Amino acid sequence: MQWLAIYTLALASFAMIGMPSLAAESATGFLDFPRSGAVSGAMDTGAFAWQVEQAGVSKIYVAMAPDFRPRRLYSKTDSDGQPVSSVTISADGRFVAFRTGAALWGEKAYNPVSLVDPPQLMLWVVGTGPGAILRLIGPGTDARFAPTGTRLFYKHGEDLYLTDLDAPDSIATRVPRGSSFGSPALAPDGRSLAFTQNRGSFAFLGHHLLTSDRIEWLVTGGDRLSGPRWSPDGKRIAYLRLPGRQHSRAYDLGASEPFALEIVDLVGQRVQVLWQAPGPAMFPYPDDPDTSLRWLDNERIAFYSEHDGWGRLYAISAEGGIPVPITASECEVAESERVNAASLLVIHNCPDLHTRHLSLIDTRTGTRRDLASTDVLLSNLALSTDRFAAFTGGDAKNAPLLRILDLQKWEVVFSERPSDHDYTPAFTTPTPATVGFQAEDGLQLYGQLFLPKTPGRHPAVVRFHGGPYQQSFAAHGGYDYAINRQLAEHGYVVLSVNYRGSEGYGLKFREHPKRAWRGASEVLDAAAAARWLAARPDVDAEHIGAWGGSYGGLMTLQALARHSDLFKAGVALYPLVDWSYSSENSGWWDPSRDFGVSDETRQLAFESSPVAALDRWTSPVLLFSGDTDTAVDIAHTIDLTQRLRARGVNVRTTIVPDESHGFVLHSTIVRLWHELLAFFDEHLGNESR
């Protein structure tokens, strides 16, 4: 495969010419905030590349040591519905690869502007030096650079391709056809790779020398293998073994499960089991997959486990033995990066379960050096050499933006600001506070309280996050937080709830019995939130609503269906409605199947759904979804609309053509805000405005 196009562009031409100043002063200006996302570090030189999303514009920046002065390499609007969606920088810092298009499945992209010719996910490379070259590689996904040099690997179809960026006229090499590479891990010398191949209910671990025409299967059998990691000397590969799937069972893909930590020698292919978890211990959706398993040196391995009920890091000898805890108990790790054999940089919630913190932790003693920061929400951790680290940090006023930390000086040497993107935050209401309350069954719950600045009694709204494996913070994490703040600006009291099923509070809280389709026990949390608000003197108990998206949409519908006496209106985005319904769209994510509903439990699943309580539902609802939703089939929304109409319930349904789950276009979020505010003003009677 040759380069499909090569464009030589001056750096200045990448900038958005005439882009207006984005102050949060207009009716929807609060949604125009900049937010830094994907961050990548160059391991051979002090350089970082990162992505910023702002008001429908995707921007890619690079900054290099020692001054880390940011330069914009590329930017584009979402006018074609194909934003930048991933960024990675080469080890030498000379090239940045990125992808355009929001992933639908495979190499297909969402088409939210309804192009006649459907788009594909496209891979690009841009140089970081003067006279930068922008190169279109073509359709593909999962771009990554070799540990050394300028070779770029990417997936196209089921195959893995390799191209050398120093030879732009060369033909990309296919690394052999039909291998179905999963989690490809390049050897330290860059001459071979390890990978897993998913064969349905089980998986194999393979090894491929790039100059060979065949695959060497290192580990086979009836279990699932994942996360191959090379030892620094390239002689051994560590991986995780999880039980194979029985065809006669339904599995909750979000539930923790037991695993074994194993290594295999390339010479002789001897497999050694280092440690077997005594029970459920591996949460399948960590913030950072690399946190699950890594070599510290040739003799020690660090891994993630929650076998004691909390997501922690442990170290173990490559010869086996008893794992030694690296991080503290009764708190959880979100991300980590190896600095050297003796230390890890870790994002965690150990001082406070309601915030995130960054620490340098000694892997032998557990000694922790904390970074003093006003940021509440930290994520996207990346290293550049062993000297610098980058992450994104946000607080109550600002969405996460890039920070660069000098590990030797232990100080932040670069901190991105909203003004760098011509944006000025304009929230005038009080900073949200973390609050606690109890459900009827005694479970302790937490949330964030957003208050208006005006005195008196106000209508209120309970907000439920999605997931459910997420956690809301008293910090700006995106448009949902911005909407909560703006509702407070408009005179609403807002309570954002971390209900049972949320992450950050341990395994027992996240996998609480009778949750989801097993009995909908999280409805207790919705009712507790409404009653807690109703007891406040600044809340009008007769005018409480709810809103949320995805699982938060399900929670909103549960609140309305089962407690219309407490919740007088709701806005549900792309919601799950019926746990018993299995989507007819082959290849799409199916909540019923993938949360573990079986034929034997389908009646219980129905009874645990909002549709089982429609006769008690009297409150009006706004349903807002994109019709190309591969996470929650739009059939849920359409079916509920008809059911509620038949019962005389006030239901309004907005379907955005070709939009995704979570939305691709900034204009869709702006439209949502207008409809959400108007709906609540109408049905909650906000007289304070």
Side-chain angles (χ1 to χ4, degrees), residues 571-607:
V571 177
L573 321 179
Y574 34 88
L576 171 68
V577 177
D578 182 355
W579 279 116
S580 69
Y581 171 70
S582 188
S583 175
E584 298 175 357
N585 287 306
S586 177
W588 288 20
W589 201 73
D590 185 339
S592 179
R593 178 193 64 232
D594 295 334
F595 274 83
V597 176
S598 65
D599 290 340
E600 293 75 18
T601 59
R602 201 163 301 281
Q603 181 59 34
L604 173 62
F606 176 80
E607 294 168 356

Side-chain angles (χ1 to χ4, degrees), residues 35 158 193 219 303 327 409 493 542 544 585:
R35 179 185 182 186
E158 291 297 318
L193 61 89
V219 185
F303 66 97
T327 58
K409 297 179 179 179
V493 174
E542 296 302 316
I544 296 175
N585 287 306

Side-chain angles (χ1 to χ4, degrees), residues 50 207 212 214 256 272 364 380 434 515 538 574 675:
W50 71 101
H207 174 242
S212 174
R214 62 194 62 198
S256 187
Q272 181 180 1
R364 298 183 186 278
N380 297 306
T434 298
R515 70 194 184 281
D538 56 353
Y574 34 88
E675 295 194 21

Side-chain angles (χ1 to χ4, degrees), residues 199-504:
R199 298 201 171 194
S201 58
F202 61 101
F204 293 160
L205 175 65
H207 174 242
H208 173 64
L209 189 66
L210 298 182
T211 56
S212 174
D213 64 350
R214 62 194 62 198
I215 292 169
E216 179 183 28
W217 296 110
L218 298 177
V219 185
T220 61
D223 290 322
R224 294 172 295 128
L225 312 180
S226 71
R229 300 289 186 268
W230 290 85
S231 61
D233 61 11
K235 295 180 179 180
R236 292 180 289 183
I237 298 170
Y239 59 94
L240 302 178
R241 180 189 293 272
L242 298 98
R245 302 293 197 194
Q246 296 176 252
H247 68 81
S248 57
R249 285 186 56 192
Y251 291 88
D252 185 344
L253 302 187
S256 187
E257 54 186 322
F259 72 94
L261 170 59
E262 302 181 353
I263 59 175
V264 58
D265 289 301
L266 263 70
V267 178
Q269 299 183 17
R270 182 175 69 91
V271 173
Q272 181 180 1
V273 179
L274 301 187
W275 184 73
Q276 172 70 58
M282 179 57 66
F283 181 42
Y285 301 119
D287 286 4
D288 176 16
D290 288 337
T291 294
S292 301
L293 177 64
R294 62 162 51 86
W295 293 79
L296 295 171
D297 53 33
N298 287 317
E299 306 304 325
R300 289 195 311 148
I301 295 171
F303 66 97
Y304 173 96
S305 175
E306 51 182 9
H307 61 275
D308 74 345
W310 296 89
R312 305 172 64 186
L313 292 176
Y314 295 82
I316 191 170
S317 166
E319 300 302 319
I322 299 175
V324 177
I326 296 174
T327 58
S329 183
E330 299 189 3
C331 56
E332 303 208 316
V333 170
E335 300 180 28
S336 68
E337 289 287 344
R338 177 188 179 277
V339 177
N340 51 49
S343 58
L344 288 173
L345 201 59
V346 181
I347 292 177
H348 56 88
N349 66 356
C350 291
D352 176 5
L353 296 183
H354 315 299
T355 59
R356 285 187 174 175
H357 305 267
L358 182 65
S359 300
L360 189 67
I361 300 180
D362 189 301
T363 61
R364 298 183 186 278
T365 66
T367 303
R368 197 176 77 203
R369 186 180 187 184
D370 299 334
L371 178 69
S373 173
T374 59
D375 290 323
V376 176
L377 180 57
L378 308 180
S379 58
N380 297 306
L381 186 61
L383 256 61
S384 179
T385 69
D386 59 357
R387 173 72 184 272
F388 300 104
F391 58 94
T392 59
D395 57 23
K397 183 179 291 186
N398 304 306
L401 294 171
L402 191 77
R403 319 290 188 228
I404 297 178
L405 174 67
D406 186 321
L407 296 173
Q408 292 183 7
K409 297 179 179 179
W410 197 241
E411 65 181 33
V412 174
V413 294
F414 172 75
S415 186
E416 198 175 17
R417 301 163 299 178
S419 58
D420 297 335
H421 302 278
D422 297 319
Y423 181 80
T424 303
F427 293 127
T428 62
T429 53
T431 299
T434 298
V435 296
F437 53 97
Q438 282 191 339
E440 183 180 332
D441 62 355
L443 184 66
Q444 182 64 34
L445 304 168
Y446 298 97
Q448 300 81 45
L449 184 65
F450 301 75
L451 294 175
K453 59 184 177 180
T454 54
R457 296 173 73 229
H458 301 81
V461 176
V462 179
R463 183 260 174 176
F464 303 105
H465 63 68
Y469 315 116
Q470 297 178 14
Q471 182 181 7
S472 59
F473 299 87
H476 198 322
Y479 81 80
D480 46 359
Y481 174 93
I483 287 177
N484 288 339
R485 283 298 295 263
Q486 197 67 9
L487 282 171
E489 296 280 346
H490 283 268
Y492 289 87
V493 174
V494 181
L495 176 61
S496 183
V497 180
N498 284 319
Y499 51 90
R500 67 192 73 192
S502 302
E503 64 182 12

